[in-house]
Amino acid sequence: MVWKMMLASAATMAMRVVPPNLLSGNTMPPLVTAPMGEMEMTPAPINPAWVLSGDPQARAAEHSRSPDDAALTAVWDCTDGSFRWYFPWDETVLILEGTVHVTAADGSTRTLKTGDIAYFAGDTWATWQVEGYVRKIAFLRRPFPKPLAAAIRIKRFLTSGGSVGLAA
């Protein structure tokens, strides 16, 4: 079983160096741009069971999606209200407009306002309290399965000479 997992991890890591469009036939352009004001915002309803107070109305517009479906960039906005939110993917947000008070599952709280950047780990919950209105850009990345993520960290550690910081 261990050998099968190691072989599967090695094959997956090898596949990551092959351009995704070579395997999938996807011919996505190397650069995707869009004026934010021209992106069509469509309703993205919040699960009613997650709403704690108010009547928050959310909308979203997808900007781009990677060919392997592991990354997504979108614009999202929401009106006044409080709700719990589940993050199935890792998500980094840049607040474009407005203010939101966020309480993470561990009880830590932050107030995010225009210009702030925040990271939410995948498979976690947070409570959002939107004051009036908030608009964000969301960069989402599907986390690797834990065994594969561990193999990648080990490979990076071994090939970097033991360095664990960000590459220049």
Side-chain angles (χ1 to χ4, degrees), residues 43-56:
I46 296 169
N47 182 332
W50 299 354
V51 175
L52 302 173
S53 67
D55 183 27

Side-chain angles (χ1 to χ4, degrees), residues 28 32-33 39 61-66 71-75 138-140:
M28 183 174 178
V32 177
T33 65
M39 295 175 63
E62 184 175 309
H63 171 267
S64 54
R65 183 181 293 266
S66 65
L72 170 73
T73 303
V75 177
F139 306 94
L140 297 94

Side-chain angles (χ1 to χ4, degrees), residues 2-14 16 143-160:
V2 172
W3 286 108
K4 287 181 182 179
M5 182 62 76
M6 290 174 64
L7 181 59
S9 295
T12 303
M13 285 176 28
R16 295 205 40 88
F144 290 120
K146 289 182 181 182
L148 178 58
I152 291 169
R153 281 193 303 275
I154 291 168
K155 177 187 177 288
R156 187 178 332 141
F157 179 79
L158 294 174
T159 58
S160 69

Side-chain angles (χ1 to χ4, degrees), residues 70-166:
L72 170 73
T73 303
V75 177
W76 181 90
D77 68 4
C78 186
T79 60
D80 192 63
S82 179
F83 52 90
R84 295 200 10 93
W85 190 261
Y86 177 69
F87 294 87
W89 293 15
D90 294 339
E91 183 172 331
T92 300
V93 302
L94 169 61
I95 304 298
L96 299 172
E97 184 179 344
T99 301
V100 60
H101 302 285
V102 178
T103 304
D106 67 0
S108 62
T109 62
R110 298 288 186 274
T111 298
L112 304 176
K113 58 189 180 322
T114 303
D116 287 346
I117 299 172
Y119 168 79
F120 298 89
D123 196 27
T124 61
W125 286 88
T127 300
W128 282 52
Q129 173 64 52
V130 175
E131 289 183 1
Y133 175 79
V134 69
R135 177 176 234 188
K136 69 178 182 177
I137 295 178
F139 306 94
L140 297 94
R141 182 187 68 85
R142 187 184 314 260
F144 290 120
K146 289 182 181 182
L148 178 58
I152 291 169
R153 281 193 303 275
I154 291 168
K155 177 187 177 288
R156 187 178 332 141
F157 179 79
L158 294 174
T159 58
S160 69
S163 172
V164 292
L166 296 174

